[in-house]
Amino acid sequence: CSAPSALPRRPTFVLVHGYPSSSFDYAEVVDHLSQHGDVLLHDHVGFGFSARPNPESFCYSVFEHADVACGVWIACGVGAQGPAVIVAHDMGDSVVAEVLTRHRRGLLPASLQAPGAIAGAMFTNGGMRIRLANLRASQRVLLTPAGPILARAATLVGRYAWGQLFKAQIRS
């Protein structure tokens, strides 16, 4: 990626794709958006042309995708030159919701945490209205106080299980 232009207060449109696709989903709007600001697209790890690390080192969770997204955004100067306007789709909604939760809690690095660094977000094709969703029992449990602990535990178990699966495939 290249850093956004040096023009002050020029917005950066950060386009976050969904599952199971890639940043190419936004190809038709890049030219139009670039007339109004900088545009940043990146593929989630394991999607599009990105690397596909072994699940022992990367478990493909929303938390890890949010970590990577923040790293890419910071490396590309998002929030440093002007406000970020985030557009998320499908699984990208969950990744951006995690980033915005960190922002609300003051947990992002300074360049993304600065006042006005993130001007807003638009979510498309995602289940953002919990009261209207038809949640499964496992999803309802995640909304309880034990939810964050269970989510982290599931991530660790998932990382181990995927690692075992890939080891078995590599040996055969």
Side-chain angles (χ1 to χ4, degrees):
C1 68
S2 61
S5 69
L7 296 173
R9 307 310 304 161
R10 183 173 159 89
T12 300
F13 297 99
V14 180
L15 309 178
V16 185
H17 72 81
Y19 176 85
S21 58
S22 71
S23 58
F24 187 74
D25 285 352
Y26 294 107
E28 296 291 321
V29 300
V30 170
D31 287 340
H32 176 73
L33 290 175
S34 65
Q35 295 172 22
H36 305 281
D38 297 307
V39 179
L40 174 62
L41 303 129
H42 65 90
D43 289 331
H44 297 298
V45 176
F47 294 76
F49 290 110
S50 72
R52 288 164 180 78
N54 185 315
E56 286 185 3
S57 61
F58 189 89
C59 75
Y60 301 89
S61 72
V62 168
F63 302 114
E64 286 184 307
H65 284 300
D67 292 343
V68 171
C70 286
V72 169
W73 300 354
I74 291 166
C76 292
V78 171
Q81 299 294 324
V85 178
I86 304 169
V87 179
H89 175 71
D90 192 57
M91 184 188 95
D93 289 358
S94 298
V95 172
V96 171
E98 173 61 22
V99 171
L100 293 177
T101 297
R102 294 175 187 184
H103 183 269
R104 190 183 76 233
R105 294 179 178 167
L107 301 175
L108 292 180
S111 60
L112 292 176
Q113 197 64 53
I118 298 176
M122 181 175 75
F123 299 97
T124 63
N125 192 35
M128 302 304 290
R129 305 292 302 260
I130 296 296
R131 291 187 316 267
L132 301 176
N134 185 13
L135 300 177
R136 296 177 180 196
S138 59
Q139 292 170 311
R140 287 191 301 273
V141 169
L142 293 174
L143 295 173
T144 69
I149 296 166
L150 294 171
R152 290 289 181 187
T155 297
L156 293 173
V157 170
R159 178 180 288 155
Y160 174 79
W162 278 105
Q164 294 301 93
L165 175 67
F166 276 93
K167 278 184 187 174
Q169 289 179 354
I170 290 169
R171 279 183 255 170
S172 19

